[in-house]
Amino acid sequence: MSKKREKKAGKRMTKKELAQKLIDFFHSRPNESMGLKHIFSELQLTTHPLKMLCVDLLREFKEDDFITEVETNTFRLVQHGTFMTGIFHRKSNGKNSFTPDEGGDPIFVAERNSAQAMNNDRAKTAFYAKQRNWEAEGEVVEIPERANETFVGTLEVTKAYAFLVTENRTLANDIFIPKDKLKGGKSGDKAIVEVVEWPARAKNPIGRVIDILGKAGNNTTEMHAILAEFGLPYIYPAGVEKAAEQISEVISEEDMVGREDFRKVTTFTIDPKDAKDFDDALSIRNLKDDLWEVGVHIADVTHYVKEGSVIDKEAEKRATSVYLVDRTIPMLPERLSNFICSLRPNEEKLTYSVIFDITKKGVVKDFRITRTIIRSDRRFTYEEAQNIIETKMGDHTKEILTLNTIAQALRQKRFASGAINFDRYEVRFDIDKKGKPVGVYFKESKEANKLIEEFMLLANKSVAEKIGKVPKNKKPKVFPYRIHDLPDPEKLDNLAQFIARFGYKIRTSGTKTDVSKSINHLLDDIQGKREENLIETVSIRAMQKATYSVHNIGHYGLAFDYYTHFTSPIRRFPDMMVHRLLTSYLAGGRSVSATKYEEMCDHSSSMEQIAANAEHASIKYKQVEFMSDRIGKVYDGVISGVTEWGLYVEINENKCEGMIPIRDLDDDYYEFDEKNYRLLGRRKKRSYSLGDPITIRIARTNLEKKQLDFALA
């Protein structure tokens, strides 16, 4: 051995460094038995202390069942039950992970052991035994199924080669694109690229351009890029549009058979001012004294969209309409969503209705589910209806005020039963013709919104009860429910600890109603306080997500034992499923396959979450765009998130959220105290806690990454 090499090999090494070298060494030779001398030689352990440290570590690894001693001083990796199949998750920082199919915690997979697995690929992984104080680790040995992932980014084209520079946080390397696979793309174009191969020794995956979205920075290009990033469609297939064009809007005599006629009953819609797809309308008439007939009329989408048709298949795949900041990507073609099915004023429309006989105190005396024909007398915006409620003047005043009285009684009863009152405002942007945000406003839920909400909840609950509530000895038929599980006990405890610092308390045990009433009490107490939005956010995080399932467990947040989605078939596929099954079951039809419908429910739940993520990304993009003209300005804010990499801060004035990177807090070395939601300075003990007021300056904006960086002012 040369003097130079001997000197390098003999340098001091910590126990941790040598342990990592040994772990990597055994991982790289999973099927070999290796003697002590061979290990010393391969790891270049030339000094006596290093050899002794190695022997100690081998003894520890043997006790931990990580290695076995096949004969004296000869060792081999333990491989019992080591192979698992599951989903691989790639991170651009190289800290990849693997989630086994059989569940359990994700397993760390270092970049060197990731082969060429891409994000969400199905992978076969060798799982190495876990030693004391060492993270469990895996190595990808086979990729049985590619996720076929596409990536969105900006093209960089030179004379010799081209790359896609991705914004995707799951890919560390840019994608190499052969010049003949560019599809006419030029430098600065946003493009969607499919990875076609990743050769074993290549640093970069190789891809081909699937579509050019337009020039980076153009509003429509960026909105389409957000949709593509989440795997959502941004154009309608021509065949589906064509099929929609062939559907007649004319209502024939045949269409009227078996329908109740509500055309002469006072009926109207109340919707957001920019809505075009009117799913629901309300009718009202007095039956006698204090008994009112209220009709909840829902667009009869499944009358027009036949099961198994091209339109139906496309709707099932999309599962939901997607609402970005400046546009709606409808689940159904616009001819159906905005014209034929939309309950537009002064037009006859086919509807599926729940008709209630109800008192002003919200007591339902009777209800029926029936197909109907309506003619809406008036289209109200929420603002117009709110003005009538407040001034008691305007069109259909008596009807709107009566409906509002009933809705308030229904709402009161719901909260008395333990429903949770999350009443958050939403941030919205005023946008100019080019899509540029010019102002921010907050969308609040007022009485007019709550009026519609209560009748939709009542209709959804009544439909679910009609199918789900059966005599004790009878089995209910398969039906898609909207379910919401109890809060996670651990998250509830964390919430209790967090709010204690503001002087609040909640119950974390007791009956469902006890806990939900105590959460409502908290939400009432914080109203109008500086910490209101923050505590609401942390409270929502303690809740489970509502999903679709044929296995009914009730809806905790609404305090309903039976709940479904029936009232928005123009924009949600589960509502179309409910309409079809309801028709079949009310006519005496047999129960459907639970397995098939549970799969459809899972898909709808998953698409709903993806759509919500895309909506959030579009809001984030507009926030960054809005703030990019305000670099250097100073704002008051509140710490809205604390992580090991920095502080998230929400600006009080416009609710835009950005981050102060931990590297910019340079007056001390700050450590993340997860339990107390804070960063704590090691020397000066200064802390930055969730909910603290803070003054920031806009430091940097990065539209590509949808990133807003703040600095302490």
Side-chain angles (χ1 to χ4, degrees):
M1 189 190 282
S2 72
K3 287 259 187 242
K4 194 177 174 186
R5 188 169 167 194
E6 188 175 340
K7 195 177 176 187
K8 189 182 174 191
K11 73 170 186 169
R12 293 182 63 185
M13 204 185 300
T14 65
K15 184 175 181 181
K16 192 168 183 179
E17 285 168 344
L18 180 54
Q20 191 60 61
K21 270 186 175 295
L22 274 168
I23 289 167
D24 291 348
F25 180 66
F26 280 108
H27 284 174
S28 65
R29 296 162 174 77
N31 304 312
E32 289 177 38
S33 298
M34 286 158 295
L36 206 50
K37 281 185 180 174
H38 180 63
I39 295 169
F40 292 161
S41 164
E42 287 292 306
L43 296 184
Q44 298 171 14
L45 307 178
T46 56
T47 66
H48 184 69
L50 276 179
K51 288 178 181 177
M52 288 300 92
L53 184 58
C54 178
V55 171
D56 286 346
L57 279 166
L58 289 169
R59 195 182 304 119
E60 277 182 29
F61 285 177
K62 192 179 145 190
E63 281 172 24
D64 286 346
D65 204 22
F66 173 65
I67 56 173
T68 182
E69 194 167 6
V70 287
E71 53 187 81
T72 307
N73 288 337
T74 302
F75 304 93
R76 183 190 176 109
L77 186 71
V78 171
Q79 294 230 52
H80 48 70
T82 52
F83 291 105
M84 293 188 204
T85 306
I87 302 298
F88 177 83
H89 309 282
R90 184 173 273 285
K91 288 274 169 62
S92 59
N93 61 7
K95 291 184 177 177
N96 307 324
S97 65
F98 168 84
T99 308
D101 286 341
E102 47 265 46
D105 292 334
I107 296 156
F108 170 68
V109 184
E111 186 62 38
R112 66 180 180 277
N113 292 327
S114 294
Q116 270 71 33
M118 304 283 282
N119 195 44
N120 290 331
D121 279 354
R122 175 162 290 286
K124 186 178 179 186
T125 300
F127 176 35
Y128 302 126
K130 190 175 181 178
Q131 311 90 56
R132 273 175 305 198
N133 307 320
W134 294 95
E135 191 177 8
E137 218 179 297
E139 180 184 2
V140 174
V141 292
E142 196 185 326
I143 304 163
E145 195 183 319
R146 286 280 186 195
N148 247 349
E149 190 139 11
T150 55
F151 292 88
V152 179
T154 306
L155 290 175
E156 277 187 13
V157 184
T158 68
K159 275 184 179 175
Y161 56 83
F163 279 99
L164 183 85
V165 181
T166 66
E167 299 125 46
N168 194 304
R169 292 188 181 92
T170 63
L171 197 64
N173 311 346
D174 298 332
I175 299 166
F176 176 76
I177 303 162
K179 293 292 288 278
D180 61 344
K181 296 283 187 276
L182 272 170
K183 214 175 177 180
K186 299 177 183 68
S187 272
D189 281 349
K190 272 264 162 91
I192 304 172
V193 164
E194 178 188 33
V195 170
V196 287
E197 64 168 324
W198 193 342
R201 300 203 180 280
K203 187 186 169 193
N204 301 82
I206 298 169
R208 67 181 181 94
V209 173
I210 293 175
D211 201 5
I212 303 292
L213 297 170
K215 276 284 167 213
N218 170 285
N219 184 59
T220 294
T221 300
E222 295 299 342
M223 291 301 113
H224 283 180
I226 285 169
L227 292 166
E229 197 182 312
F230 288 96
L232 294 166
Y234 47 92
I235 49 170
Y236 237 98
V240 180
E241 293 274 22
K242 195 177 171 189
E245 288 304 320
Q246 288 163 358
I247 295 174
S248 170
E249 74 277 16
V250 178
I251 296 171
S252 67
E253 288 296 318
E254 197 183 336
D255 295 333
M256 295 281 290
V257 174
R259 289 183 185 270
E260 284 192 46
D261 192 343
F262 274 77
R263 285 175 292 188
K264 290 192 168 63
V265 184
T266 301
T267 304
F268 43 79
T269 60
I270 306 177
D271 287 281
K273 59 185 175 212
D274 54 355
K276 295 187 180 82
D277 52 346
F278 311 137
D279 269 301
D280 53 85
L282 293 176
S283 70
I284 180 168
R285 59 182 162 190
N286 186 236
L287 297 175
K288 60 177 183 185
D289 303 331
D290 181 32
L291 193 63
W292 298 80
E293 179 197 77
V294 176
V296 179
H297 305 285
I298 307 302
D300 194 355
V301 171
T302 55
H303 173 84
Y304 296 101
V305 180
K306 299 303 175 198
E307 198 165 359
S309 66
V310 289
I311 299 174
D312 182 52
K313 283 176 181 166
E314 183 69 20
E316 184 182 343
K317 192 165 78 179
R318 292 177 179 232
T320 180
S321 292
V322 183
Y323 296 90
L324 300 188
V325 165
D326 67 335
R327 68 195 63 209
T328 300
I329 294 82
M331 178 181 81
L332 296 169
E334 286 194 10
R335 177 170 166 80
L336 285 166
S337 58
N338 294 355
F339 172 44
I340 295 177
C341 296
S342 184
L343 308 182
R344 307 191 316 174
N346 306 311
E347 293 179 13
E348 293 184 356
K349 295 290 174 178
L350 301 181
T351 42
Y352 212 157
S353 310
V354 189
I355 314 295
F356 297 98
D357 294 352
I358 193 168
T359 69
K360 272 195 175 179
K361 287 188 176 164
V363 178
V364 176
K365 297 291 188 185
D366 197 11
F367 78 91
R368 65 189 187 279
I369 301 167
T370 180
R371 280 196 149 95
T372 50
I373 181 166
I374 66 161
R375 185 186 176 90
S376 170
D377 299 296
R378 174 79 150 81
R379 184 250 151 140
F380 290 99
T381 64
Y382 281 123
E383 290 78 7
E384 289 167 342
Q386 186 62 32
N387 189 50
I388 290 167
I389 290 167
E390 288 170 10
T391 64
K392 300 181 175 41
M393 289 167 63
D395 293 349
H396 304 299
T397 303
K398 186 186 174 189
E399 289 88 346
I400 284 178
L401 292 177
T402 303
L403 286 168
N404 192 44
T405 303
I406 298 169
Q408 285 181 331
L410 289 167
R411 192 172 175 80
Q412 228 170 348
K413 272 198 281 190
R414 219 161 39 80
F415 293 137
S417 303
I420 296 175
N421 184 15
F422 284 118
D423 203 4
R424 305 191 75 216
Y425 56 78
E426 294 173 45
V427 180
R428 289 286 182 265
F429 290 94
D430 286 317
I431 285 176
D432 68 15
K433 284 178 181 173
K434 288 182 178 171
K436 192 170 169 55
V438 290
V440 175
Y441 65 94
F442 306 116
K443 185 180 152 192
E444 283 182 83
S445 183
K446 294 189 175 177
E447 281 171 288
N449 305 69
K450 289 165 186 172
L451 183 163
I452 292 297
E453 182 187 17
E454 287 308 321
F455 284 106
M456 297 309 122
L457 291 174
L458 182 63
N460 287 332
K461 172 182 171 238
S462 303
V463 166
E465 285 178 346
K466 181 79 178 172
I467 303 303
K469 259 187 168 177
V470 293
K472 267 205 170 130
N473 53 353
K474 278 193 87 175
K475 199 178 167 193
K477 290 177 175 172
V478 171
F479 202 60
Y481 295 94
R482 180 71 169 171
I483 61 166
H484 185 226
D485 210 345
L486 276 68
D488 181 306
E490 197 180 325
K491 286 183 179 175
L492 214 52
D493 282 337
N494 289 347
L495 172 64
Q497 286 171 33
F498 172 65
I499 61 172
R501 76 177 58 178
F502 297 96
Y504 301 110
K505 283 181 181 173
I506 54 159
R507 289 190 64 158
T508 57
S509 58
T511 66
K512 277 201 301 193
T513 312
D514 288 340
V515 174
S516 53
K517 280 186 177 174
S518 112
I519 292 171
N520 277 338
H521 191 60
L522 168 72
L523 298 173
D524 286 342
D525 286 350
I526 61 175
Q527 276 205 348
K529 305 266 173 62
R530 190 169 55 83
E531 61 270 18
E532 178 184 4
N533 204 37
L534 189 71
I535 289 179
E536 277 222 345
T537 304
V538 179
S539 303
I540 286 169
R541 284 177 198 161
M543 297 292 139
Q544 306 276 25
K545 281 194 163 57
T547 56
Y548 297 103
S549 176
V550 298
H551 307 295
N552 183 37
I553 56 165
H555 196 296
Y556 174 75
L558 295 172
F560 289 158
D561 291 332
Y562 299 88
Y563 189 65
T564 190
H565 273 170
F566 166 82
T567 53
S568 291
I570 290 177
R571 61 186 180 89
R572 292 189 304 229
F573 192 74
D575 302 55
M576 286 174 64
M577 286 156 64
V578 164
H579 281 215
R580 285 181 180 138
L581 290 179
L582 195 56
T583 304
S584 166
Y585 294 162
L586 292 178
R590 291 171 61 180
S591 190
V592 291
S593 157
T595 310
K596 176 188 168 186
Y597 274 82
E598 186 63 10
E599 280 173 12
M600 289 159 85
C601 283
D602 283 347
H603 174 69
S604 293
S605 300
S606 148
M607 292 306 289
E608 175 188 30
Q609 188 55 53
I610 290 167
N613 293 345
E615 181 184 356
H616 180 72
S618 79
I619 292 169
K620 192 77 201 164
Y621 184 87
K622 290 296 168 197
Q623 282 185 352
V624 176
E625 194 177 4
F626 183 66
M627 298 311 288
S628 59
D629 296 340
R630 292 160 174 79
I631 288 174
K633 284 199 170 183
V634 173
Y635 293 91
D636 288 330
V638 63
I639 295 175
S640 56
V642 183
T643 67
E644 59 199 294
W645 53 85
L647 299 170
Y648 285 96
V649 177
E650 186 181 81
I651 296 171
N652 297 338
E653 180 187 309
N654 53 35
K655 304 299 173 199
C656 289
E657 190 181 56
M659 195 177 97
I660 302 173
I662 200 164
R663 64 175 180 271
D664 291 358
L665 300 172
D666 52 10
D667 63 325
D668 201 344
Y669 181 81
Y670 284 90
E671 290 174 325
F672 177 44
D673 176 0
E674 192 173 3
K675 197 173 178 194
N676 293 301
Y677 299 93
R678 66 177 180 171
L679 289 180
L680 185 64
R682 193 184 273 178
R683 284 180 295 111
K684 299 176 187 172
K685 299 298 176 202
R686 180 176 181 178
S687 78
Y688 292 98
S689 300
L690 196 59
D692 283 354
I694 192 166
T695 304
I696 59 92
R697 181 172 47 78
I698 311 298
R700 292 172 293 277
T701 59
N702 185 330
L703 270 173
E704 286 284 299
K705 292 183 175 170
K706 305 178 194 68
Q707 212 167 292
L708 200 49
D709 280 353
F710 297 157
L712 284 173

